[in-house]
Amino acid sequence: MKKLLFIALLCVSSLFAKDFAFTAIPDQDETKLKERFSLLADYLSKELGVNAKFIPVKSYSASIAAFRNNQVQLAWFGGLSGVRARLIVPNAVAIAQGVEDPNFHSFLIANTSTGLEKSREIPAGVEGKTFTFGSKGSTSGRLMPEYFIRQAFNKAPNEIFEKVGFSGNHSKTIALVQSGAYEVGAVNYKVWKKELAAGKIDTSKVKIIYQTPGYPDYNFTARGDLDATYGEGFTKKLQAALIAIKDEKILNSFPRSGFIKASNKDFDPVLETGRKIGIID
């Protein structure tokens, strides 16, 4: 009896040793994130033979902290948060990105009461308006829109707009501009398109006024010690599993048409931009 109990305890211990946790930047509301990443957790558990689980966090900085502290071994980061995480976690590596992520975009959106219209350049009429970014740590909701705004006006945002805010995520940015709480905002084009398709955007109240040039953005970044923890070749196996995703439910939940390989060098433009505007030291 004691021998059977000992074997059972060994089995339980083995199962816990194979737990594999991942997180994601909270760029949308929590319900959408849990739906997306519960599907991914089930997929990775089957493909990798580990107990994969999603650990939600409340902020972009919390996702980086969880990754740094080894509370999670993989993270779905934006371009900026990925760069920051890899700067502080030795040997961390970007291993995959969406097919669309090397050429990502942001939209500037405006409440229709402003009278602003879509333009190939940032409309001069945004000056003096109230403006909201997404999270302070967002690539598509803050870093790149701010960079292009500074290029257009040769001024910092607080010198251009009457008031500058940070909504926290893209869904909230859309809601705030649509309600008129802010007149103009910056949003991830993927979130805009997904919420538009879901009928959550009233285009009589809010519209796109500008699309930024392309830039690299989202990525899966893995800690550098995965092979030591889970066995030789685990990182490559993880990368292959992500790239092999064909399940339409998983892909549509991101939303991405598929995943491709990524490397740290792919995000050098984000690092350089962050340094130019003083977000990264």
Side-chain angles (χ1 to χ4, degrees), residues 66-111:
F67 187 77
R68 179 192 63 212
N69 297 332
N70 202 20
Q71 293 168 290
V72 298
Q73 291 73 53
L74 175 74
W76 176 244
F77 285 129
L80 177 59
S81 48
V83 164
R84 282 175 160 163
R86 293 189 295 273
L87 285 173
I88 60 175
V89 178
N91 303 315
V93 59
I95 59 172
Q97 60 188 324
V99 170
E100 298 83 356
D101 289 312
N103 189 36
F104 213 78
H105 301 278
S106 298
F107 288 150
L108 296 191
I109 58 173
N111 189 281

Side-chain angles (χ1 to χ4, degrees), residues 13-22 38-54 73-74 226-227 229-235 237-239 241-242:
S13 175
S14 176
L15 284 172
F16 278 112
K18 290 185 179 179
D19 275 2
F20 177 75
F22 64 95
S38 63
L39 292 171
L40 183 61
D42 291 343
Y43 171 80
L44 291 178
S45 294
K46 292 173 186 175
E47 293 296 313
L48 302 175
V50 296
N51 179 31
K53 56 184 180 179
F54 173 59
Q73 291 73 53
L74 175 74
L226 294 191
D227 285 14
T229 305
Y230 299 97
E232 190 67 31
F234 184 86
T235 304
K237 189 176 178 182
L238 171 61
Q239 182 183 51
L242 292 169

Side-chain angles (χ1 to χ4, degrees), residues 143-159:
L143 174 68
M144 298 311 299
E146 178 170 340
Y147 173 72
F148 293 119
I149 288 166
R150 284 174 178 265
Q151 273 198 324
F153 295 96
N154 200 28
K155 297 178 189 175
N158 60 7
E159 298 174 294

Side-chain angles (χ1 to χ4, degrees), residues 60 80 84 133-138 142-143 166 168 279:
Y60 281 54
L80 177 59
R84 282 175 160 163
F133 291 108
S135 166
K136 290 182 179 180
S138 172
R142 192 272 175 91
L143 174 68
F166 294 91
I279 293 176

